[in-house]
């Protein structure tokens, strides 16, 4: 057995003894990346939900969340959402009283510059809920709710 082979075997045994085996190898995967385009409605819906959830989670007294609504939602839908929230006593963007742990946006259709997507929100214990989000050709959300 060569000294190189003994070194590799010794390093492997040390890793197993320290509990580093497959876990260390699995975590050494390729770096993750996220990309998008400002002209793409799906990117904008994903950007809105990611930023909005961060803002609500970080509890900045509602300032950033309100600003995001002003930027991403149509004025008419903002009014509709406010009425829904007064009636339901919940956040209309999230359709809940708390903040999800994760989110995923999936496009379900595009036509004439309008995009429909399903946002899957993941809560504690892996429970999920879904909302349908519609964005117009001007990159403004005009509907959040059921299909």
């Amino acid at each position: 057995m060569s000294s190189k082979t003994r070194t590799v075997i010794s390093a492997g045994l040390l890793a197993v003894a320290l509990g580093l085996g497959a876990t260390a190898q699995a975590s050494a995967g390729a770096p993750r990346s996220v990309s998008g385009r400002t002209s793409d409605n799906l990117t904008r819906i994903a950007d809105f939900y990611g930023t909005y959830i961060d803002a609500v989670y970080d509890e900045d007294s509602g300032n950033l969340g309100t600003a995001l609504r002003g930027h991403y939602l149509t004025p008419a839908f903002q009014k509709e959402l406010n009425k829904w929230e007064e009636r339901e006593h919940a956040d209309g963007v999230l359709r809940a009283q708390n903040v999800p742990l994760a989110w995923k946006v999936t496009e379900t259709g595009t036509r004439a510059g309008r995009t429909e997507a399903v946002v899957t929100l993941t809560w504690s214990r892996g429970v999920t809920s879904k909302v349908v989000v519609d964005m117009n050709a001007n990159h403004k959300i005009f509907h959040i709710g059921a299909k």
Side-chain angles (χ1 to χ4, degrees):
M1 185 180 303
S2 73
S3 64
K4 185 175 182 181
T5 303
R6 281 192 295 269
T7 303
V8 170
I9 291 172
S10 296
L13 291 173
L14 178 62
V16 170
L18 294 174
L20 300 175
T23 305
Q25 292 173 356
S27 65
R32 300 180 326 150
S33 65
V34 177
S35 62
R37 294 186 325 267
T38 58
S39 62
D40 180 56
N41 279 352
L42 187 65
T43 298
R44 287 189 171 247
I45 292 169
D47 288 347
F48 171 67
Y49 266 85
T51 307
Y52 186 82
I53 289 168
D54 287 347
V56 173
Y57 181 80
D58 294 342
E59 297 185 65
D60 73 337
S61 302
N63 296 328
L64 181 55
T66 301
L68 289 167
R69 287 176 180 225
H71 181 75
Y72 283 95
L73 309 180
T74 64
F77 184 62
Q78 288 179 62
K79 290 177 186 174
E80 184 180 323
L81 199 61
N82 289 337
K83 289 178 186 175
W84 185 94
E85 290 175 333
E86 287 176 18
R87 185 177 65 250
E88 301 294 330
H89 305 288
D91 185 301
V93 171
L94 304 174
R95 299 295 194 204
Q97 293 178 335
N98 53 356
V99 183
L101 302 173
W103 51 269
K104 177 182 169 184
V105 179
T106 306
E107 186 176 77
T108 56
T110 299
R111 64 181 177 278
R114 296 170 76 157
T115 301
E116 180 182 277
V118 171
V119 178
T120 304
L121 303 170
T122 303
W123 310 91
S124 64
R125 298 185 189 129
V127 173
T128 61
S129 63
K130 295 182 180 194
V131 293
V132 175
V133 178
D134 293 294
M135 182 173 273
N136 65 26
N138 295 324
H139 308 300
K140 298 289 184 182
I141 293 171
F142 65 90
H143 172 260
I144 297 173
K147 191 159 180 103

